[in-house]
Amino acid sequence: MTSETQPKQTPYGLWHSPISPQMIGDSLRLNDIQWDSDGKTLVWSERRDTRTVLVAKRGNDAMRDLTDSSVSPSGRVGYGGGEFTVHDGIIYFVHSGRLHRLAIAGGTPQAITPKFGGVAAPAVSPDGHWVVFVHSYEGQDSLAIVRSDGSQLPQKILQGTDFVMQPTWSPDGTQVACVTWNHPQMPWNGSELQIINLNFPENGAPSAHTSKALAGDTETAIFQPQWSPDGRYLAYVSDRDGWWHIYLYDTASSEHRQLTNGEREHGIPAWVQGMKTYDWSADSKHIIAIHHSKAIYSVSQYDLEGKERPLDALSDYTHIDRLAVSPKDGTVALIASASTIPTRILCYHAQDSVQVIRRTTTEMLSGDVLAPCEAITWDGHDGETVHGLYFAPQNSQYQAPDDTAPPLMVLIHGGPTSQRNATFDMEVQFFTSRGYAVLQVNHRGSTGYGKAYMNKHAGNWGVYDVQDSITGAQYLIDTQRADADKVIIMGGSAGGYTALQALVDKPRFFKAAVVSYGVANQFSLVMDTHKFEERYSEWLLGTLPEHADKYRDRSPLFHAQKIEDAVIIFQGTDDEVVPKSQSDTIVRALQRNGTPHEYIIYEGEGHGFRKPETKVDFYTKILSFLKQYVIFA
């Protein structure tokens, strides 16, 4: 190694990184991927700047955009998702609260539903004549159906439950299956698999003849029903044995049979519409499925007896977001990444070959600046095992002085029922390439480690998430992988709440906190949040007024006098999940107490920042804040 290539000796946290705030602001996000019924045309959605674009690629042809700047497909139920589907050369997508159709060959989008409420998760009947979709209006969710050409007004075929998602047709077009649930459950706590038998009058829209629940209850969660192409089986994912596994319902014998097993997950919490973790082969003989264990994802093929064949050609990828199987030749399309491999669209072929279809702009980064992921465990405050992902500082141009440890970013996921995965995370690489270590905490209450681990959150929000973040940081300090004087906690939404509560419960342990739209007042959250989560707190904390003392004890606002460490708070003005009033109140308390803080408000931003200029400003201000209160303090 020559002197010109020798790494520069520079303290941790002061390394220059090629990953700029601008790069994060400009990054492209891949959302969903589906095959047309011809089995040759692949359609996907990708987010560019503030809008979503539908893109198609047929065979060896170049990809091309299907929508322009006048259209931005977006599901409008709950947190969104389920923005499009494709059938027989026609894309059906949601835009501005209406369902539209657009020919892949070209043309102008045509609205097929009136502008009335929220729309998501369209699914086309096998004959192409009807589209069933999720509809929400004034707090009432239902399943509706409309002619695919828009010639008739939509009609409801299922109502009476608080929520519905993931509708799918039987191959003969006589039945629709979906997942439903009611307050106070969340879909990952308890939900049902519903099957609807349809009547088809000579004139008018189909109507529900009968409907019944096939699986699930208030304690068992169901995810993604899907019929086999031959109609013999209805597959679905259930956590009835404590882990998300695939089950088969035999339509001839009415028997249910578990297909997969083991301590791994074949499902994920349904935060949005349109989520999918498996697909059938065209001959109905196999299911190709995503599964994950300890935050590492894999893909396997299962026959109808449950015999597994791992798709080893995909083993370099440790996170799979979506998966779709061609209905003609069995090609598997998926969105994949790893901690050091930026997100891509791939096609896996029967010959075990893998083709990259779409790359993201982050592919310009070299491996010597990307930090690999390490799944770690540590003992919680009560001796139980806690999980997380650790990333060491990584930048070949720099070397820290001997006998020094890096500052540590403790990143808390939102939800709080969610999980950090071994995906490509630009935020993580933003920090590690500057000389920070990163710990992504999958505290007890997270998904991905079995239902018993997730259920630790029942009544305990603000306990395990806080304590597991503290003990995780302490574990890295004790093993000389973090500087005890330079530990930062960072999170958004529920993760922002955990960060604030950690400052209350253990002052002076964290040097600083970065909080985005964090919950400060648990009482206000119950009164002000959106329908999807309006009774979530009953599971996380308990019912009111019986548990009012717990709500007060777990509200950072009422204990703000204990917060001594520097805080930077970010908030969007249009946030309907954690309204701006939450951040306003905690900031006023910090002002009264003289706690060092900064408060950044972004006009027009909601729950999660989307504008490129917002993201650039967000990370620029974080770096400045950390240098002032942590690195140079």
Side-chain angles (χ1 to χ4, degrees), residues 406-449:
L408 175 66
M409 300 294 301
V410 180
L411 304 186
I412 315 301
H413 62 67
T417 309
S418 187
Q419 182 190 24
R420 296 280 193 168
N421 303 300
T423 185
F424 183 80
D425 191 324
M426 186 72 93
E427 181 177 83
V428 168
Q429 304 298 339
F430 179 82
F431 290 117
T432 56
S433 60
R434 285 173 167 79
Y436 291 82
V438 170
L439 171 63
Q440 293 184 320
V441 182
N442 282 329
H443 52 73
R444 283 168 287 179
S446 302
T447 49
Y449 304 92

Side-chain angles (χ1 to χ4, degrees), residues 364-381:
M364 66 184 70
L365 297 170
S366 61
D368 60 0
V369 77
L370 298 177
C373 166
E374 178 188 354
I376 64 171
T377 61
W378 61 91
D379 291 337
H381 67 288

Side-chain angles (χ1 to χ4, degrees), residues 185-213:
Q185 277 75 34
M186 300 298 284
W188 48 83
N189 296 133
S191 49
E192 291 186 331
L193 168 60
Q194 296 277 353
I195 188 167
I196 306 161
N197 294 292
L198 297 175
N199 277 328
F200 287 85
E202 290 186 9
N203 297 303
S207 60
H209 175 59
T210 59
S211 64
K212 64 178 180 179

Side-chain angles (χ1 to χ4, degrees), residues 519 521-531 533-538 544 551 555 557-558 576-579 581-582:
V519 177
N521 185 340
Q522 297 287 6
F523 294 102
S524 296
L525 181 68
V526 173
M527 294 183 288
D528 297 337
T529 196
H530 61 161
K531 177 192 174 184
E533 293 178 84
E534 68 184 16
R535 295 184 64 181
Y536 192 14
S537 294
E538 293 184 20
L544 288 171
Y551 277 69
S555 295
L557 177 64
F558 300 116
E576 297 179 356
V577 181
V578 181
S581 57
Q582 290 270 354

